[in-house]
C-alpha cells in the first residue's frame, strides 16, 4: 500500500539537494543531519524510488532525484510568491459587514472615517435588509435594529434611528403632493406599514425599493418617510413632520459571541461603533 507524501519530507529533501549534503542542509534548516537523513529515506520509501547516492563527500542525486528537484523548484518559487503576497497584506482578515440599504450607503459614504488600507482588516460590504446568518459565518458583523436574542450572538448598542416625513424644498407651501408607497418585500417594513395606515389613499407611486424612491422625492413629485440620517443629509429636502415616535428604532452591531474578541474583528467593531455613535448623516448627495 502506498504511503501518503509528507510535504515536510519534500521540503527537507529540497534543502538537502540544494546543499549537496546533510551538513549544509542542517545549517540552512536548523534540522539535525540525523533527522534529515531519516526524512530523505522516508521520502524514498514513500515514492518507492532511490533519490540520492550516499557517498563519502555527501549526497549525489540520482536521475529520479534530479527530476524531483525540478518539480520542487517550481513549488518553492510558488511558496516564495505566496510568502510575498502574505507580507504584502494579501492575507489580511476580511470582515463581512451586512446592513440595510440606507445604512449601507451611510457606511460607504463615511468609509474613509473608519477604515484605511493600512489596517489589519479588509471590509466586505453586503447590502441586505435580511438578518444574514452569523452563526454559520455568512457575515461577521450585522448592523441591526434590535438586540440579539440568540445566546451565541453578542450585541453592542450604537445609537438610535429616527424617521420623519420629507419632501423637496422646492415644493411651494400649501401644495399637496402625493406619497410613494412600497410593495413586495419592503411592503412589510415598518415605514411602509405606517404610510399605508396613515396615507394609503394618497399613495400615487409604488416601488419595491425605498432607495429608488429618493430620486422622486428630490424632484418634488412625492413625499415619503425617510430615516433622519438620510433626509437631513440632502439640502434639497426638508422635514415636514416631527420624528415619528412609533418608528424610532435602536441601532445595534451584532456579532458572534466566540469571535468578537479576535483582534481584527474587534478593530472593525470599534471603528463602526465610533462612527455610528456620532449620528452621521448621508452626505454624498448621490
Amino acid at each position: 500500500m502506498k504511503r501518503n507524501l509528507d510535504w515536510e519530507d519534500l521540503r527537507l529533501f529540497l534543502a538537502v539537494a540544494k546543499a549537496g549534503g546533510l551538513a549544509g542542509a542542517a545549517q540552512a534548516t536548523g534540522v539535525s543531519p540525523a533527522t534529515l537523513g531519516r526524512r530523505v529515506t522516508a521520502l524514498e520509501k514513500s515514492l518507492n524510488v532511490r533519490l540520492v547516492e550516499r557517498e563519502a563527500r555527501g549526497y549525489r542525486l540520482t536521475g529520479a532525484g534530479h527530476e524531483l528537484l525540478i518539480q520542487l523548484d517550481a513549488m518553492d518559487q510558488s511558496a516564495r510568491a505566496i510568502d510575498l503576497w502574505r507580507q504584502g497584506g494579501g492575507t489580511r482578515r476580511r470582515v463581512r459587514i451586512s446592513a440595510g440599504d440606507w445604512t449601507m450607503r451611510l457606511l460607504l459614504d463615511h468609509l474613509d472615517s473608519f477604515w484605511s488600507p493600512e489596517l489589519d482588516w479588509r471590509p466586505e460590504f453586503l447590502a441586505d435588509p435580511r438578518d444574514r446568518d452569523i452563526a454559520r459565518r455568512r457575515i461577521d458583523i450585522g448592523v441591526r435594529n434590535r438586540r440579539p436574542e440568540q445566546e451565541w450572538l453578542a450585541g453592542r448598542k450604537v445609537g438610535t434611528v429616527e424617521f420623519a416625513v420629507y419632501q423637496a424644498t422646492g415644493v411651494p407651501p400649501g401644495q399637496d403632493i402625493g406619497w410613494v408607497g412600497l410593495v413586495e418585500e419592503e411592503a412589510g417594513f415598518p415605514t411602509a406599514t405606517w404610510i399605508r395606515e396613515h396615507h394609503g389613499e394618497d399613495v400615487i407611486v409604488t416601488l419595491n425599493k425605498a432607495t429608488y424612491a429618493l430620486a422622486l422625492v428630490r424632484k418634488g413629485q412625492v413625499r415619503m418617510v425617510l430615516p433622519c440620517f438620510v433626509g437631513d443629509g440632502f439640502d434639497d429636502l426638508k422635514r415636514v413632520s416631527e420624528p415619528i415616535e412609533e418608528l424610532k428604532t435602536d441601532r445595534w452591531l451584532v456579532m458572534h459571541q466566540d469571535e468578537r474578541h479576535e483582534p481584527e474583528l474587534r478593530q472593525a467593531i470599534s471603528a463602526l461603533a465610533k462612527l455610528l455613535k456620532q449620528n452621521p448623516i448621508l452626505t454624498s448627495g448621490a
Side-chain angles (χ1 to χ4, degrees), residues 205-221:
V205 177
T206 56
L207 290 167
N208 67 335
K209 285 283 187 181
T211 50
Y212 298 156
L214 181 59
L216 298 178
V217 179
R218 296 179 68 188
K219 290 179 180 179
Q221 296 172 315

Side-chain angles (χ1 to χ4, degrees), residues 5 9 55 68 83 87 181 204 209 239 279:
L5 283 176
D9 286 348
E55 300 177 341
L68 181 58
D83 191 50
Q87 293 177 18
I204 60 174
K209 285 283 187 181
R239 290 193 199 185
N279 293 316

Side-chain angles (χ1 to χ4, degrees), residues 181-196 207-210:
L182 298 171
V183 295
E184 295 187 352
E185 185 178 5
E186 295 196 9
F189 287 7
T191 51
T193 301
W194 188 91
I195 292 172
R196 191 166 54 249
L207 290 167
N208 67 335
K209 285 283 187 181

Side-chain angles (χ1 to χ4, degrees), residues 22-271:
L22 300 179
Q27 186 174 3
T29 63
V31 178
S32 71
T35 298
L36 287 170
R38 287 195 298 271
R39 301 303 287 263
V40 171
T41 299
L43 180 61
E44 289 179 321
K45 289 181 178 180
S46 295
L47 297 173
N48 194 29
V49 65
R50 183 177 293 278
L51 299 172
V52 297
E53 297 291 350
R54 294 157 176 82
E55 300 177 341
R57 294 185 177 181
Y59 280 8
R60 179 173 60 84
L61 295 180
T62 64
H66 278 292
E67 291 178 4
L68 181 58
L69 176 60
I70 292 172
Q71 300 296 324
L72 292 179
D73 265 333
M75 290 176 57
D76 188 47
Q77 290 177 16
S78 296
R80 291 177 186 274
I82 291 172
D83 191 50
L84 289 174
W85 170 72
R86 178 183 61 81
Q87 293 177 18
T91 58
R92 292 183 184 180
R93 171 75 146 85
R94 192 164 293 277
V95 177
R96 293 164 61 87
I97 302 165
S98 173
D101 290 341
W102 292 125
T103 301
M104 184 57 64
R105 291 183 61 178
L106 181 72
L107 295 180
L108 297 178
D109 192 35
H110 293 274
L111 178 62
D112 59 355
S113 69
F114 68 89
W115 180 82
S116 57
E118 66 270 10
L119 293 177
D120 294 332
W121 59 283
R122 295 279 188 262
E124 182 172 312
F125 295 108
L126 302 166
D128 194 338
R130 300 168 298 176
D131 289 350
R132 292 204 175 205
D133 196 336
I134 296 176
R136 292 184 173 86
R137 311 307 198 267
R138 290 177 180 168
I139 61 168
D140 298 298
I141 302 172
V143 185
R144 298 180 177 173
N145 60 8
R146 61 190 180 279
R147 181 197 296 269
E149 297 177 354
Q150 298 90 336
E151 61 181 11
W152 57 85
L153 297 180
R156 182 171 176 179
K157 187 177 179 182
V158 290
T160 58
V161 177
E162 292 187 325
F163 295 78
V165 181
Y166 287 83
Q167 68 181 39
T169 56
V171 176
Q175 179 176 331
D176 188 24
I177 60 174
W179 286 73
V180 62
L182 298 171
V183 295
E184 295 187 352
E185 185 178 5
E186 295 196 9
F189 287 7
T191 51
T193 301
W194 188 91
I195 292 172
R196 191 166 54 249
E197 291 178 350
H198 292 83
H199 301 280
E201 295 182 356
D202 301 317
V203 171
I204 60 174
V205 177
T206 56
L207 290 167
N208 67 335
K209 285 283 187 181
T211 50
Y212 298 156
L214 181 59
L216 298 178
V217 179
R218 296 179 68 188
K219 290 179 180 179
Q221 296 172 315
V222 289
R223 62 179 59 174
M224 72 180 296
V225 175
L226 288 170
C228 293
F229 71 80
V230 176
D232 291 350
F234 292 86
D235 293 336
D236 55 359
L237 295 182
K238 64 179 178 180
R239 290 193 199 185
V240 292
S241 79
E242 294 296 320
I244 303 169
E245 186 63 29
E246 63 191 273
L247 294 180
K248 182 177 180 180
T249 63
D250 292 331
R251 181 183 271 154
W252 288 80
L253 296 180
V254 180
M255 68 292 298
H256 198 282
Q257 178 75 21
D258 297 337
E259 294 187 353
R260 60 186 173 131
H261 298 301
E262 291 183 1
E264 296 85 359
L265 195 58
R266 190 170 63 245
Q267 289 178 28
I269 293 167
S270 297

